[in-house]
Amino acid sequence: MSAPLPQQQPRRGASTLTIVVAVGLVLVLGLTGAGLIGWATWSHFRNDNGGSVRLADPPPPSTTAQAPSYPPQLARYYGQHLDWNSCGANQCSRLKVPLDYAKPDGATIELAVLRAPATRRTQRVGQLVVNPGGPGGSGVDYASSGSSAFGEVLTRYFDIVGFDPRGVGKSTSLKCADTAQLDQFLSADPDPDNAAETSRLDRLTRQFGQGCLRRSGDLTRHVSTVEAAKDMDILRAALGEPRLDYLGASYGTFLGTTYADLFPTHVRRMVLDGAVDPALSSEQLSLGQARGFETALRAYLQDCVDKGACVLGDSVDAGARRISQFLDQVDAQPLPTSSGRKLTEGLAQYGIIAPLYVKSYWPLLTSALERALRGNGDQLLMLSDSYTMRGFDRYTSNSTEILYAVNCLDHDDYVPISQVPSRFAEFDKASPTFGRIFAYGLSTCASWPVRSGHRTTALAARGAPPIVVVGTTRDPATPYQQSVSLARELQSGVLVSRDGDGHTGFMQGNRCVDGAIESYLVGGKVPKDGLSC
């Protein structure tokens, strides 16, 4: 029986197209980061030089701003008022949006929305819309996480509002496969060794996409990020906000950037943490993540070696070779587990990747690998299941299904699986351990039955107020350079850098980063561009 990881769960990175986790490998499987820093009062922040700054209580939000206009054909959506109902300590509602924005009078779908009221009601600043990543992460679950995910400052002064994007979770949900089919899909060989394995991989991907069309129909064609961003503006209006306050992590940065580019004058304050650079091609994104996970793996191995008696060897290079050998061995002979399921190379890969998102999980990876090297795959399977959100007898979310569907609509620049070997050299150089797995990810959407013809490009969000972009130097899933590039591409981008390990920067134990974000969102103090923490 698999168990959830303790404390916070890693986000799956937002731009990978590995064999089973297409371009958005970063779903939040729980909370967001390893640092649980709660500040006693809003008034204590760090300034740009690391010193303490005392600020007065933030002013109340302005009520003079006029609500922006909207297309008349969407009036019935923009005119909605959310009917809030109690759901535990929070409030829940449903929002109606068009399935197809080109046919606003046609079919509709519903989005699940959750609001966690600010704890200091008399000094509430506004409503902060949040997205945890994915694509496929539940904003409803994220918003309900409270101060453990957002800290005491943001939860004190903001209503935290999360929504499950179209196709996700509690919203009108995409369904593509049953548990047995998902098991088969996720356990497939991510690095096929011969023509038969290559053909099987291609067939499984095609069948998976056809299952989406068969089970979910036209919803499969309408779960793109552009459509989700348009939904978010209807949500803004339904919340009664003339401008949007937003915090997006990982893939949530791509959603936020898309929103800001579509509706630049509708933005009030926006933080994009662990950025996806929309200017990059699928191949560039995959190469970047291959390098990112190799860097994270080697940082983990250095930590293991430094602690002494590392089960993987006495050097980083020896440890990397041992992991590669282990994956080859599991490919040839999957490991048994107490659940009766086999730990295949594909599942072992997820088990290794998952703890690289959060540094505090590195000991879990060491323990899992130690047992796996002795022939017991239980702990690596547990880590893999936590990553793919598989419970004891079923998957607890449709994150894998929506991940593929969104990414294959957002990016239409993939290559046939027969051409993947021509990319081996550059991917092997980027990541000797994971390179070919990421290379095969390039073919994922080549077999997808829905083609959008859409390719992402640099987005400037011209006319938007300052947008804060946060990058972490050794982020495996959304490599740091993507945050640097996005901050440069946005007309009003402001870069904040965290020198550290793990995915995303906020609530990772860095007071400099946390203070800069909180001071900006709550008090409107824009960080110094290039702030290094």
Side-chain angles (χ1 to χ4, degrees):
M1 176 175 180
S2 61
L5 294 178
Q7 299 175 5
Q8 297 137 325
Q9 304 290 342
R11 299 177 209 274
R12 286 211 314 247
S15 57
T16 329
L17 268 173
T18 66
I19 169 78
V20 290
V21 206
V23 161
L25 206 149
V26 191
L27 178 78
V28 172
L29 307 183
L31 307 183
T32 341
L36 299 179
I37 304 298
W39 291 9
T41 62
W42 141 256
S43 56
H44 293 284
F45 285 101
R46 310 282 289 181
N47 67 13
D48 292 353
N49 297 315
S52 191
V53 176
R54 188 163 186 89
L55 302 175
D57 281 331
S62 170
T63 58
T64 59
Q66 287 222 322
S69 60
Y70 49 81
Q73 63 269 28
L74 297 176
R76 68 175 175 134
Y77 302 105
Y78 274 90
Q80 291 177 88
H81 296 282
L82 292 172
D83 182 16
W84 296 105
N85 298 297
S86 176
C87 50
N90 302 312
Q91 301 165 337
C92 293
S93 189
R94 309 282 293 180
L95 181 73
K96 186 172 293 187
V97 296
L99 172 65
D100 182 353
Y101 275 89
K103 301 175 181 178
D105 293 329
T108 63
I109 56 176
E110 290 190 340
L111 307 183
V113 185
L114 179 141
R115 180 167 66 185
T119 58
R120 186 177 289 186
R121 301 300 300 163
T122 59
Q123 293 179 316
R124 185 178 73 93
V125 170
Q127 301 180 86
L128 180 66
V129 175
V130 298
N131 181 276
S138 170
V140 165
D141 292 345
Y142 190 41
S144 68
S145 301
S147 60
S148 58
F150 304 104
E152 294 180 4
V153 173
L154 295 188
T155 54
R156 182 176 296 139
Y157 291 100
F158 279 104
D159 294 342
I160 306 296
V161 179
F163 71 104
D164 283 358
R166 51 176 56 216
V168 174
K170 297 179 178 69
S171 295
T172 301
S173 185
L174 185 80
K175 188 64 180 173
C176 303
D178 60 26
T179 298
Q181 290 167 330
L182 273 174
D183 280 347
Q184 183 183 45
F185 186 59
L186 290 169
S187 63
D189 190 341
D191 176 15
D193 304 310
N194 53 51
E197 290 183 354
T198 301
S199 177
R200 180 175 185 270
L201 177 60
D202 197 42
R203 184 180 69 256
L204 286 174
T205 304
R206 183 178 297 106
Q207 289 174 346
F208 189 81
Q210 290 169 343
C212 297
L213 283 174
R214 185 172 60 254
R215 291 169 179 257
S216 299
D218 277 348
L219 182 62
T220 312
R221 308 179 192 277
H222 294 289
V223 290
S224 70
T225 297
V226 167
E227 289 163 310
K230 292 179 179 180
D231 295 342
M232 199 155 66
D233 199 53
I234 292 176
L235 173 62
R236 173 201 57 74
L239 290 169
E241 296 291 347
R243 303 290 183 268
L244 179 76
D245 289 312
Y246 179 79
L247 170 61
S250 196
Y251 161 80
T253 68
F254 182 38
L255 177 59
T257 302
T258 303
Y259 178 89
D261 195 65
L262 288 171
F263 308 103
T265 61
H266 300 193
V267 176
R268 181 169 178 258
R269 293 168 192 164
M270 177 173 284
V271 173
L272 307 176
D273 185 9
V276 177
D277 180 3
L280 300 182
S281 68
S282 294
E283 185 162 352
Q284 290 170 323
L285 288 168
S286 292
L287 272 171
Q289 269 201 329
R291 291 190 194 96
F293 278 103
E294 189 73 27
T295 297
L297 178 70
R298 297 182 75 84
Y300 155 73
L301 289 169
Q302 186 65 64
D303 183 74
C304 184
V305 170
D306 289 347
K307 284 182 167 61
C310 179
V311 67
L312 297 164
D314 57 5
S315 72
V316 170
D317 288 340
R321 286 194 299 270
R322 186 68 188 93
I323 287 177
S324 293
Q325 291 167 0
F326 167 72
L327 289 172
D328 288 341
Q329 291 166 359
V330 174
D331 182 23
Q333 179 93 36
L335 291 183
T337 70
S338 58
S339 70
R341 295 161 58 208
K342 297 285 189 180
L343 181 76
T344 65
E345 182 186 9
L347 297 177
Q349 169 222 325
Y350 294 126
I352 292 170
I353 280 178
L356 298 180
Y357 282 90
V358 182
K359 187 175 181 178
S360 62
Y361 290 171
W362 289 0
L364 293 177
L365 178 56
T366 299
S367 175
L369 285 170
E370 185 174 15
R371 293 189 68 178
L373 291 171
R374 296 201 306 263
N376 185 323
D378 281 352
Q379 287 191 7
L380 266 185
L381 183 63
M382 179 201 75
L383 291 170
S384 174
D385 284 351
S386 293
Y387 188 74
T388 60
M389 301 195 76
R390 192 193 194 281
F392 173 62
D393 59 356
R394 63 184 179 86
Y395 289 83
T396 58
S397 88
N398 69 332
S399 57
T400 296
E401 293 152 295
I402 194 68
L403 181 72
Y404 273 97
V406 173
N407 286 325
C408 292
L409 289 176
D410 285 352
H411 303 263
D412 196 25
D413 57 351
Y414 300 108
V415 299
I417 200 167
S418 61
Q419 296 179 17
V420 168
S422 67
R423 271 69 170 184
F424 281 170
E426 59 182 345
F427 276 87
D428 284 343
K429 182 179 179 180
S431 174
T433 310
F434 304 118
R436 297 196 179 188
I437 294 170
F438 281 87
Y440 272 105
L442 295 175
S443 69
T444 301
C445 295
S447 299
W448 198 253
V450 179
R451 306 303 293 265
S452 68
H454 179 73
R455 298 193 182 189
T456 54
T457 186
L459 302 176
R462 298 187 186 281
I467 296 174
V468 175
V469 182
V470 183
T472 294
T473 56
R474 292 179 295 283
D475 189 321
T478 50
Y480 173 69
Q481 186 56 44
Q482 291 195 45
S483 293
V484 175
S485 299
L486 179 61
R488 187 184 307 125
E489 291 155 11
L490 291 168
Q491 186 185 59
S492 58
V494 175
L495 179 66
V496 173
S497 301
R498 177 175 79 93
D499 182 15
D501 297 290
H503 184 38
T504 70
F506 183 55
M507 291 297 292
Q508 295 280 10
N510 187 308
R511 287 178 178 260
C512 171
V513 171
D514 293 352
I517 290 174
E518 291 163 336
S519 182
Y520 165 66
L521 286 174
V522 179
K525 182 178 182 290
V526 180
K528 178 182 177 182
D529 187 21
L531 173 63
S532 180
C533 296

